[in-house]
Each structure stands twice: as structure tokens, then as C-alpha cells.
Amino acid sequence: MARGLFHLLLIIVLVMETHCINDTEVPTHIAHNKSITRKRNIAKREITCGEGNYSFSGQCCTKCKRGHVKSIDCPKTQEHCVPCKSGEEYMDHINDLDECMRCRSCDKALGLEVVKNCTSTENAECSCAKNHYCNSSRCEHCESCTVCENGQIEKECTSTSDTVCRMQVKRKVNNYTTQGNTAAADTGKVHSPETLRLIHIDVDLTHHVPDIVREMTLEQVMTFVRHHRLSEPTIEETLLDNSNNTSEQKIKLFQKWYQKHGMGGAYETLICSLRDLKMRTAADKIERKLKAAVCSHQERRESYNDKTEQSNTCSQEGEKCYDDNAEISKTYPESLEET
């Protein structure tokens, strides 16, 4: 009897536990379903954001107009957008970004110049600077135009194409062999006798560099060496190494070019290039100085050798030098004399 009551109680306990478990599981299942439903509803709300808006954490936010970026995660009006710094940054489209884009730099060291300034809504536009060209669709840097060192130009250098030089021919002028081009030969445009003398003897410019660059500005020296394809890293390094001395910068840059070119034809290259680059004043001054130095050296040489049959007349300005009896055939390393 007692055993029968025990079994009855055990059955009642098991029934009650089963009922409690079912009562617990049903609310849990319902809560789970509600959570899924909420997530789906949120997803639906994100998709419904209209044009000019974007979704963020279940809410629609306002995109910023051109020239502006957001200042908070979810702007509600344009008041929550901040402008880009004009001349430094820009944003050229409607956006949900928090940083503006940096303006393009038209670096002079890369042969570029600004053709359109950067604004808060448009990036800067660059083009090749004078005496530089680039033949690609988008130029990150421009090359220096080729210099026709001993001839005239067939086709001028443009921002998109290099210089084309005329084919050169040899001819004799006043018993000196020189080089020119077919056009020059036809028109009779030739160097003066004094200039031909200096070209013929290949003056060594090594000791004349300080006096040469004294007649040029730093910008002119940089234009000259770039014209002759001295690399930009070399130019930049030279300027940095002598950053506190403009005179030394000019000397070192010119020496870099001279080492690359070599003595042969350097004088003619220098004078002709300066004139091609519209630096005629500097070319004329340098030419007069070199003529004066050559004349002065020859007078001392003739006096030392007591060559009475030779006559050599130099003008006070050092602009004319005549040698009627012999050709000059050696270099003149002495420092230039002021005229």
C-alpha cells in the first residue's frame, strides 16, 4: 500500500516538471521569433532611405554636398557637414565621407605648373612648364625639351612633344671648320669670327664657372641644366646640400652639367643654349668675358715668347680679338677678368 502511494507521487512530480518545461520553452521561442522580426524590420527601414541619404545603424542620414564632408556619424542636415579647406583640400561629389581629398601639387621640380587652382569642389590642374614636355595622357612629371646644340630647330618644343633639330652639315668659314645646318648654310647665318675662335679652341670652362654663373640667376641656371636633362634628383640634392648659399648652388649645378657634358663643345653649347632659352643678356655678358680672358691670355703668351711677328688687338670691352698670323689651338684655364 505504501509502495503504491510512492509510485503515484512520483508520477505526479514527473507530470508537473514536464508542464513547467513546456511553459518555459514557449516564451523563449516567441522571444526569438520577435527578435528575428525586429531585425527584418530594421533591414527594411535601411533600404527605404531616399536619394541623397544613406543608412547607418538603422537610421537614414543625410549625405554632404560637394566641397563638404560630415562632422558626425549620421548627419541629419547640411549643418552637420563641414567645408573642405580651399586650396588644400577638395570634394568633387556628394558623399558620406568624413575627410576631404588632398589637392594635387603641381611641383616645379617635376617640370609642372598650375593651369587651374584647386578649390573646395575641384582638384588642381597641372601642365608642363615652359621648356618642358610630356607625351602621355596624364603627366605626373615633364621632361626638359631637347636643345639643338649645334644646329637650328626644325620644330619647336611644345607641352606634348619634344624639340626636333635640323640635320647638321659641316662647312668652312674664315678657314675654320665648324658645324651648322642646311638652313643656316642657305641663308648665310654664321657665327662671328670671334665666336668661331672660341668654339674652335674648346675653351676649358672649369676655372670660369664662378664668373659664368655670376651673370645668371639661380632660376636661369636651373632652367639651363634641366634643358640639358640633368636629373631632378641630382638638382634637388645639389640645392639641399647648399641650401644656405645661392651662389654655391649655381656653381655646383653648373659643374654637374659640365661634368656630364664634357669640355668638347661646351662653350658653344652654353652660349647657343642661353640664346635659345631667351637669356640673351646673360649669353652676351658671358661671351664678352670669355673673349676678354682669351685675349688677355694670348697677350701674355705672346709677350713671354717674344713673338714680334704676331699682332693681337683687344678692345677695352673685350668684345673683339684679332690674330692675323696664327690660329689659337690650346685651352685657356685662367680665371676670367672683369670687363
Side-chain angles (χ1 to χ4, degrees):
M1 178 90 172
R3 182 173 296 177
L5 289 171
F6 176 78
H7 285 293
L8 181 60
L9 290 170
L10 182 60
I11 290 170
I12 292 171
V13 170
L14 290 175
V15 170
M16 292 178 67
E17 287 180 352
T18 302
H19 182 71
C20 291
I21 291 172
N22 290 337
D23 289 344
T24 305
E25 288 180 347
V26 171
T28 302
H29 181 68
I30 292 172
H32 179 67
N33 288 340
K34 287 183 178 179
S35 176
I36 292 174
T37 302
R38 280 199 302 271
K39 289 181 179 178
R40 287 175 179 171
N41 289 337
I42 289 172
K44 288 180 181 179
R45 287 200 301 271
E46 289 176 349
I47 294 173
T48 58
C49 291
E51 186 177 358
N53 295 276
Y54 67 99
S55 61
F56 179 81
S57 298
Q59 54 184 329
C60 289
C61 310
T62 301
K63 290 185 177 181
C64 294
K65 62 183 180 181
R66 296 169 67 242
H68 294 73
V69 291
K70 64 184 183 181
S71 59
I72 60 175
D73 290 335
C74 184
K76 293 302 181 182
T77 67
Q78 291 296 324
E79 292 180 357
H80 297 143
C81 299
V82 293
C84 301
K85 296 178 182 177
S86 184
E88 298 180 17
E89 304 171 333
Y90 76 100
M91 181 58 63
D92 57 2
H93 60 278
I94 297 174
N95 68 95
D96 58 354
L97 303 175
D98 55 12
E99 287 187 3
C100 299
M101 295 183 287
R102 298 292 298 176
C103 293
R104 184 184 181 192
S105 174
C106 303
D107 194 343
K108 291 183 179 179
L110 299 178
L112 297 169
E113 66 180 5
V114 178
V115 294
K116 187 175 182 181
N117 290 323
C118 183
T119 66
S120 61
T121 58
E122 291 183 321
N123 197 5
E125 292 183 14
C126 306
S127 180
C128 291
K130 185 179 179 181
N131 299 320
H132 290 77
Y133 75 98
C134 176
N135 52 19
S136 65
S137 58
R138 179 173 175 80
C139 298
E140 296 299 331
H141 73 276
C142 299
E143 302 288 343
S144 297
C145 297
T146 297
V147 176
C148 301
E149 298 186 354
N150 296 313
Q152 292 190 4
I153 298 172
E154 178 72 25
K155 185 178 179 182
E156 292 283 353
C157 181
T158 69
S159 61
T160 58
S161 62
D162 196 9
T163 309
V164 177
C165 301
R166 292 185 182 179
M167 185 175 63
Q168 298 171 2
V169 295
K170 288 187 176 182
R171 66 182 184 279
K172 281 191 174 183
V173 180
N174 292 349
N175 297 325
Y176 288 98
T177 300
T178 183
Q179 288 185 328
N181 55 75
T182 54
D186 293 338
T187 59
K189 293 181 180 179
V190 297
H191 293 290
S192 66
E194 291 80 9
T195 303
L196 285 173
R197 290 179 188 277
L198 296 176
I199 293 172
H200 178 70
I201 61 178
D202 272 343
V203 177
D204 185 355
L205 304 180
T206 303
H207 300 286
H208 302 327
V209 173
D211 288 323
I212 290 172
V213 299
R214 190 175 293 123
E215 303 300 337
M216 302 169 66
T217 65
L218 178 59
E219 184 179 353
Q220 287 177 325
V221 174
M222 291 176 65
T223 299
F224 174 80
V225 298
R226 282 185 177 135
H227 202 54
H228 288 279
R229 300 182 181 277
L230 191 65
S231 70
E232 291 300 332
T234 299
I235 294 174
E236 184 176 354
E237 181 182 358
T238 303
L239 293 175
L240 290 174
D241 289 344
N242 304 276
S243 58
N244 296 323
N245 191 329
T246 302
S247 178
E248 196 66 17
Q249 286 177 330
K250 294 192 294 183
I251 290 173
K252 296 300 182 183
L253 284 173
F254 193 90
Q255 288 175 337
K256 293 285 186 182
W257 165 77
Y258 193 44
Q259 291 170 2
K260 177 184 175 183
H261 184 281
M263 189 181 80
Y267 169 75
E268 183 180 15
T269 297
L270 170 62
I271 300 301
C272 292
S273 296
L274 291 178
R275 286 175 175 152
D276 288 341
L277 294 170
K278 312 303 181 186
M279 302 179 195
R280 296 183 179 276
T281 300
D284 291 343
K285 289 181 179 180
I286 292 170
E287 189 172 34
R288 285 197 295 268
K289 281 192 172 185
L290 285 172
K291 289 175 184 177
V294 170
C295 289
S296 177
H297 177 85
Q298 185 174 349
E299 284 181 339
R300 292 195 299 269
R301 179 168 170 261
E302 289 175 352
S303 176
Y304 179 80
N305 294 325
D306 195 25
K307 294 180 179 180
T308 57
E309 294 182 357
Q310 291 185 338
S311 63
N312 182 17
T313 305
C314 298
S315 66
Q316 292 181 351
E317 294 79 15
E319 294 181 353
K320 293 183 179 180
C321 178
Y322 300 95
D323 180 6
D324 299 327
N325 300 314
E327 295 180 358
I328 305 172
S329 60
K330 65 177 294 184
T331 59
Y332 300 90
E334 283 79 11
S335 297
L336 292 172
E337 296 181 1
E338 295 291 342
T339 61

